[in-house]
Amino acid sequence: MKAAVVTEFHKPLEIKQMPIPTPGPEDVLVKMMVTGVCHTDLHAVHGDWPVKPQLPRIPGHEGIGEVVALGNNVKNLKLGDIVGIPWLHTACGYCEYCITGRETLCESQQNSGYSVDGSFGEYALMDARYTIVVPSEVDPIVAAPLFCAGVTTYKALKVSGVKPGEWVSIVGVGGLGHVAIQYAKAMGMKVIGVVPPNDPSGKLAKECGADLVYDGPGDQAGEWIKERTQGGVQGVIVTAVAKAPFSQALKSIKRGGKVVPVGLPPESMEISIFDTVLNGHEIAGSIVGTRKDLIETLDFARNGQIKPVITVKKLEEINEIFDDMLAGKINGRVVIDYRD
Ligand SMILES: [Zn+2]
Ligand SMILES: [Zn+2]
């Protein structure tokens, strides 16, 4: 099969022939139709994080494809099912986190495109017990970004605790942020999109339904937001991959408000202990979502409420896609289409 493979960190991916994997007893073999390209794939390619993937590795964790072979123990799926390849490839199923509905915190989890091969190949394995079927009403191209960008932001909005009618701000309106705005609106929230000064993503934020967009100087976002929202937003979802917006996010929330970081800049953030205590502020990290979150995420897309902005490309263009991603040139999400 053809695949885009990381053979060395910080080097371009190689398009090469790899063996089609054989399903183990709990696996399904998925013939890929499409896959989204996420910023996290770039971290895998660069070996940015303390725990690095073993090479060679096929990245990708927004794959959609057809089940074409089943392991001996698989009972919940059948040949021909259209399913997704999310970040959470598998978890142990019996640790403290798994048995309390927090499988994304499992310390024995495997991650698609990182610790196991992912969706940048024509075929990939997926643990059937962690596999979610794509509803027939949802186009695979629309479904692909929902398996990471969608579920990550939908879950973060749930974690934020913002209720219908309350204000939330979405910091960074790229692959994750633009979908976050659509989910926040679908969940009945009032939404502020926060983008870099005069950035084109401000237009995308409006198109996705943001009630207000801030594209002024980065160090004044908090104050601007407080002035327009009766003392601050109830929650902030920070999808930005830079440090500065995190401190502005803390400045923009009202008393009792919550900041939910989902972007992964490598730096630390500064937090005023005094303000946190006096204002009852909360900071809660949120990482992708569980199988249940994913089912809910896809449900929203059945009736057309969620429409990711997508540019369709081919697998051979993967290195240019990453170049564009680093240069901030991607509007919404890129989806690779394997079909002719
Ligand atoms: Zn991702
Ligand atoms: Zn576990």
Side-chain angles (χ1 to χ4, degrees):
M1 68 170 191
K2 188 169 62 179
V5 187
V6 184
T7 51
E8 216 179 318
F9 295 126
H10 284 285
K11 290 280 159 64
L13 281 82
E14 282 181 51
I15 305 289
K16 56 198 282 186
Q17 288 297 319
M18 299 287 280
I20 295 175
T22 310
E26 308 290 351
D27 296 330
V28 286
L29 179 65
V30 180
K31 182 171 194 277
M32 220 59 65
M33 301 160 82
V34 293
T35 179
V37 183
C38 178
H39 200 274
T40 295
D41 296 315
L42 198 54
H43 294 299
V45 173
H46 287 176
D48 282 339
W49 292 340
V51 181
K52 298 182 198 315
Q54 276 192 331
L55 303 185
R57 177 62 69 225
I58 302 173
H61 57 275
E62 285 188 350
I64 306 291
E66 182 184 345
V67 173
V68 292
L70 303 164
N72 288 336
N73 293 350
V74 176
K75 295 189 179 68
N76 58 326
L77 296 167
K78 58 183 188 311
L79 296 177
D81 280 346
I82 306 299
V83 300
I85 308 274
W87 175 249
L88 188 68
H89 178 89
T90 189
C92 79
Y94 47 76
C95 73
E96 171 189 350
Y97 305 107
C98 284
I99 62 172
T100 50
R102 296 180 293 164
E103 63 214 29
T104 57
L105 301 180
C106 176
E107 294 188 66
S108 307
Q109 69 184 276
Q110 300 286 330
N111 299 117
S112 305
Y114 205 87
S115 58
V116 297
D117 284 336
S119 55
F120 290 176
E122 288 176 308
Y123 293 85
L125 296 178
M126 182 64 205
D127 185 327
R129 298 165 298 185
Y130 287 81
T131 303
I132 300 300
V133 173
V134 177
S136 59
E137 303 93 320
V138 184
D139 186 305
I141 288 186
V142 170
L146 303 186
F147 271 79
C148 179
V151 71
T152 298
T153 53
Y154 169 68
K155 173 65 169 212
L157 286 161
K158 280 171 75 174
V159 169
S160 79
V162 177
K163 296 185 182 67
E166 293 181 336
W167 281 104
V168 68
S169 76
I170 309 295
V171 180
V173 182
L176 267 71
H178 89 285
V179 183
I181 293 173
Q182 297 183 6
Y183 275 99
K185 290 309 295 179
M187 294 161 87
M189 301 170 188
K190 291 189 285 194
V191 183
I192 303 179
V194 180
V195 304
N198 304 312
D199 195 76
S201 60
K203 185 166 166 274
L204 179 61
K206 283 239 170 67
E207 285 163 8
C208 289
D211 299 280
L212 294 171
V213 174
Y214 179 77
D215 66 349
D219 59 357
Q220 290 163 36
E223 207 178 316
W224 187 92
I225 288 169
K226 273 202 162 144
E227 278 171 15
R228 281 157 186 81
T229 55
Q230 299 89 46
V233 289
Q234 185 62 45
V236 186
I237 311 301
V238 191
T239 72
V241 283
K243 175 188 170 180
F246 283 86
S247 47
Q248 286 301 310
L250 282 166
K251 291 201 171 90
S252 73
I253 47 174
K254 60 170 28 173
R255 293 191 159 199
K258 201 188 268 194
V259 173
V260 184
V262 298
L264 291 165
E267 305 100 330
S268 304
M269 64 196 271
E270 276 158 39
I271 299 161
S272 158
I273 299 171
F274 190 83
D275 288 345
T276 306
V277 173
L278 258 69
N279 297 325
H281 285 167
E282 291 181 63
I283 300 160
S286 182
I287 174 80
V288 293
T290 62
R291 289 165 286 185
K292 179 68 167 65
D293 295 320
L294 200 38
I295 289 167
E296 293 171 13
T297 299
L298 292 163
D299 259 347
F300 272 93
R302 280 177 198 265
N303 61 9
Q305 283 185 96
I306 306 299
K307 288 186 199 125
V309 172
I310 288 163
T311 308
V312 178
K313 302 219 166 178
K314 288 286 170 194
L315 188 67
E316 286 76 7
E317 298 173 274
I318 188 69
N319 290 309
E320 292 95 90
I321 296 168
F322 282 134
D323 289 346
D324 286 349
M325 191 178 272
L326 272 175
K329 281 199 222 155
I330 292 174
N331 188 42
R333 202 54 143 186
V334 170
V335 171
I336 289 168
D337 199 334
Y338 289 92
R339 302 165 296 181
D340 292 324

